[in-house]
Amino acid sequence: MGINFRLKNTLSAKGFDHKEFSSKLNEICGIPKSTAYNYLSGVRTPDAENLALLCSRLGINLNWLLTGEGPMFRSSTSPTLSPDESALLDAYRAADEAGRAALLITAKAMARKP
């Protein structure tokens, strides 16, 4: 069983049909609907970046998605990030050292209450 079949199992477990799943991936991951459809049909396999997005934004266990081993979803003991929180984390991770420092200073300053 390949990644496309495991993705289909995921959408079934979440109660999505192909169209809803493709729209959801576009909405929360920025993956075009046609690309999502190609993932489900097995025409394309997600690259590492999109695998990470799928797993982090949908709570999928990466090991399960790649190998079929372990639970389908990550443990619910860790909090689920909103799309905005995930975008901030992605920006932080993509930034160089100076950018990370600036993001951290800005976030701390904005979090302070008067």
Side-chain angles (χ1 to χ4, degrees), residues 91-105:
Y92 178 83
R93 288 177 174 163
D96 62 13
E97 188 175 331
R100 287 182 178 186
L103 284 168
L104 190 56
I105 290 167

Side-chain angles (χ1 to χ4, degrees), residues 1-13 21 39-40 45 51 60-73:
M1 183 185 317
I3 290 175
N4 64 315
F5 290 109
R6 286 189 283 278
L7 279 174
K8 288 178 187 178
N9 287 339
T10 302
L11 70 96
S12 178
F21 190 72
Y39 290 164
L40 292 172
T45 301
L51 282 170
I60 301 170
N61 176 351
L62 179 60
N63 185 56
W64 175 83
L65 187 58
L66 292 172
T67 67
E69 297 177 10
M72 182 183 297
F73 297 104

Side-chain angles (χ1 to χ4, degrees), residues 16-111:
F16 296 128
D17 63 22
H18 283 60
K19 186 176 179 179
E20 291 170 322
F21 190 72
S22 296
S23 293
K24 191 74 168 171
L25 289 184
N26 182 258
E27 176 187 324
I28 65 173
C29 298
I31 296 172
K33 291 178 185 180
S34 60
T35 300
Y37 180 79
N38 287 336
Y39 290 164
L40 292 172
S41 65
V43 172
R44 289 187 60 189
T45 301
D47 61 15
E49 182 179 348
N50 283 343
L51 282 170
L53 279 172
L54 288 167
C55 291
S56 68
R57 306 267 171 94
L58 297 175
I60 301 170
N61 176 351
L62 179 60
N63 185 56
W64 175 83
L65 187 58
L66 292 172
T67 67
E69 297 177 10
M72 182 183 297
F73 297 104
R74 294 189 315 251
S75 171
S76 61
T77 57
S78 61
T80 302
L81 298 178
S82 72
D84 287 341
E85 290 169 325
S86 292
L88 280 170
L89 184 56
D90 291 343
Y92 178 83
R93 288 177 174 163
D96 62 13
E97 188 175 331
R100 287 182 178 186
L103 284 168
L104 190 56
I105 290 167
T106 303
K108 286 180 179 180
M110 294 180 76

